[in-house]
Amino acid sequence: MKLIMLWLAGSIIHLVSFSNSNLSVIGIISSLIFCFISIYIFRTIPSGISRTLIAYSLFLSTSILSFFNIITPLTGSVSESTNILFFGFSFYSASLAYLVIKNVRPSFSDSLKVANPLLLSTGPIALFIKNYSYRRPHLRVNYFLPFIIVGFFLFYIVATPLTATFELIKMTDAISSIVFAVIFELFVYANFCGLSLMLYGLFGIFGYKIPLNFKQPFSSNNIIDFWRGWHLSLSAVLKLLFYAPVRKIFPSSVALIVLFFASAMWHGITLNFFIWGCLHALVFIITIFLLKNNIPIVPMIILILGIILGRLIFADSDVDRLVQKLLFTYEGFGAFDTILSLPITTKLSLMMGFGLIAIEFFFRNTNMLRKRNYKYLRTPTSLTAILLITIFLIDSGNLTYAVYGQR
Amino acid sequence: MLYTANVNRFLWYFFVPFLIIFYLGFLVWSFENYSNKPVFEAIKNKQQTVNSLEHFDGIILGGSNAWFGLSAKSLGTLSNSTWINLTAPAEGYSDENYFNFITSSISYKKRQNVSFIIYSSNSLVTKNLKKRNNTSTDLVGKNKITYQPQRSLASYLKDSLGYTKFREYPVAEFGDFGFDNYPCGEFIPTPFKPREYLNDSDLHEWMAHKIINLSKLFPNAKLIITVPNGFNKNLRQPDDGGRRKLVEELKNILTKHSQDGKESIYLTSQNPYPSSDLMCSDNWHANEAGRQWRTNELYQEIKRIK
């Protein structure tokens, strides 16, 4: 009963916050039906190879749908299912694959967890939804409300005004491409992390614990640390489905290549994701080598280069334009003129966003940041400052969407 | 330590809840007090202009591209008839708003006597169809109340300190744009602002909807659908191929329509403005000279249809 209530609450909040379309109701119901049917099938077939096969088929079905353009590539621009019946498919198919491969015998009530519309509208992938209602309500509010406030600030005040910079994606010279990649990295982080924190807080207040999808990824010394803080629910699925089984047979470098290739395929079947996957696998392997040989500083440098170059490639699924960008031609500093002509709210967002990333990075070894759970933003003083800035600046003038949303 | 704990308690149990309640109050206040005065005034003045005329032969419909770019007065002079300009900023934000605006501005009797409708909509060349279909914004641009205010607290403070400069949208004779009271300012190129043409399925939906509604509103009028254009020379990706495809598909739809025995709908695709000297600040809205240029071009088409 509680899970039904949670699903209904998720549906209502999703419809009010994310969508004006009546069609969304069909999408929400179809996702639930799909999960029910999938779980029914798992429960009827014997365990072993066939279940493993189904788990991989489920995970890779996202790539197949992407190939046929039923769901759009996940570049960070608006991504969606072109057919409403596949609303949230990439999220619940990954959740189901995770449940099956973990050899958990899913119950029908699991479909209510996996297909919760709020999780399907932006992630995280529902690896678990644990009952937390034994904590008294006011204690839950005290602990989880700050996550909502911080998430709201990141999403609406830092990320949303940055949509005004998106025209930069069309500029192909080196400086513009790099400037866009840096800003877009900030946008994706603030948008996705903000929504994830809001959902984490909201579910927590309702009495359920879901995965914390981001853990201060920029509080990192190297790319390995970075991935310990970025889109953790997807990382968990990829590790279980791809890294762990391959690692049993092959060296870790091969397992990493397979993992990043699978990640790229989940995001979309386009050339840019393939290059992005190869790049990150390479950076990861080089970092392991450097750390094993105690070579300092260099892992940090390739972390920065890897993130920027990775985002440049990730963001652009237009192959011709991407090739032009990767030629890195110098055509002056026109991109900075564009930045200077941006609205003041966008400039403030840039300053606040990069300020937060700088705090995450430079103070990563302090008590407040060491646990990587945004504690430094959840103190009463920080929350007061965040609320004041939010109340002062928020308006509905910009495009709002979830970067990982609804596909 | 004790002092810090007390401050934290004060902030968390008193100040943070106070800010949240203040924000909720601000949402309600800003909703009640929001007014898009320039658009509101423009709409009101247009309605007054239309009401003052007993009879008109032709009406220009559409959004700001047509308000800046087409002149009812010039068309009237050229064709020796009476035209009015009933365009609205952002074409009323939604079709429902716009068609309600037309019906509330002109009585059915007057609409029956209209012979020509020019309809120039930028929803053919920008990707705003979905937004228009789903918007909750009203005719003057006011949104329904949500958890985000339509204007920020900062912008209200800016107003109160006298830093905001509102520009009225002056309405001239026959509902035309009053350039005499509106300095256009320097032309600012926007090379990355794309032209995004409607795809085939959206176009069919668009046409069916417009034809049904406009035929109901103006049962005896010839409808001229105009695909608007801008100043394209500085665009990085003008996508001329996309425009050609759109016009071809529109022609196909109209050919099929005329085969059904209805020959009252015509299509014109306007040429791009030849110079930035004809533009009012941006590459989409004409200035007074640009309006004359575009109106003359369109009139040649009307003569052909007549």
Side-chain angles (χ1 to χ4, degrees), chain A residues 256-294:
Chain A
L256 279 167
I257 290 168
V258 172
L259 179 142
F260 276 105
F261 189 65
S263 176
M265 296 225 312
W266 185 80
H267 285 90
I269 304 285
T270 46
L271 184 66
N272 65 315
F273 291 119
F274 176 72
I275 303 171
W276 170 84
C278 293
L279 173 83
H280 267 285
L282 186 68
V283 171
F284 211 107
I285 291 163
I286 293 171
T287 302
I288 291 172
F289 172 80
L290 293 168
L291 291 177
K292 273 185 182 168
N293 291 284
N294 285 325

Side-chain angles (χ1 to χ4, degrees), chain A residues 87-103:
Chain A
F87 164 76
F89 185 87
S90 59
F91 288 112
Y92 64 73
S93 59
S95 303
L96 291 168
Y98 181 83
L99 285 178
V100 173
I101 207 78
K102 267 197 104 175
N103 239 342

Side-chain angles (χ1 to χ4, degrees), chain A residues 226-340:
Chain A
F226 176 83
W227 283 113
R228 284 182 187 139
W230 187 280
H231 201 174
L232 293 172
S233 58
L234 179 64
S235 298
V237 175
L238 292 169
K239 267 184 219 164
L240 192 70
L241 258 71
F242 297 97
Y243 184 82
V246 178
R247 182 71 185 88
K248 282 179 189 167
I249 308 164
F250 297 101
S252 65
S253 53
V254 177
L256 279 167
I257 290 168
V258 172
L259 179 142
F260 276 105
F261 189 65
S263 176
M265 296 225 312
W266 185 80
H267 285 90
I269 304 285
T270 46
L271 184 66
N272 65 315
F273 291 119
F274 176 72
I275 303 171
W276 170 84
C278 293
L279 173 83
H280 267 285
L282 186 68
V283 171
F284 211 107
I285 291 163
I286 293 171
T287 302
I288 291 172
F289 172 80
L290 293 168
L291 291 177
K292 273 185 182 168
N293 291 284
N294 285 325
I295 300 170
I297 309 289
V298 185
M300 201 178 286
I301 294 168
I302 63 167
L303 162 73
I304 296 165
L305 294 177
I307 288 174
I308 295 172
L309 186 58
R311 186 57 65 191
L312 191 157
I313 296 164
F314 187 98
D316 210 336
S317 54
D318 180 331
V319 175
D320 292 339
R321 193 167 63 196
L322 181 60
V323 169
Q324 286 224 318
K325 285 181 178 181
L326 293 177
L327 293 174
F328 291 106
T329 51
Y330 175 73
E331 290 177 18
F333 289 86
F336 291 104
D337 292 336
T338 310
I339 302 287
L340 289 174

Side-chain angles (χ1 to χ4, degrees), chain A residues 160-222:
Chain A
T160 302
L162 296 181
T163 51
T165 66
F166 283 6
E167 288 183 5
L168 278 171
I169 196 174
K170 292 173 184 162
M171 295 167 87
T172 52
D173 64 288
I175 304 289
S176 306
S177 305
I178 291 166
V179 167
F180 174 72
V182 171
I183 295 174
F184 201 62
E185 177 72 19
L186 171 62
F187 169 77
V188 173
Y189 174 47
N191 179 301
F192 195 14
C193 174
L195 285 169
S196 299
L197 291 179
M198 276 197 271
L199 292 191
Y200 184 75
L202 205 59
F203 274 81
I205 288 175
F206 284 149
Y208 290 91
K209 205 155 193 180
I210 60 168
L212 184 57
N213 218 12
F214 282 81
K215 288 187 176 176
Q216 293 171 212
F218 295 97
S219 294
S220 307
N221 292 316
N222 53 59

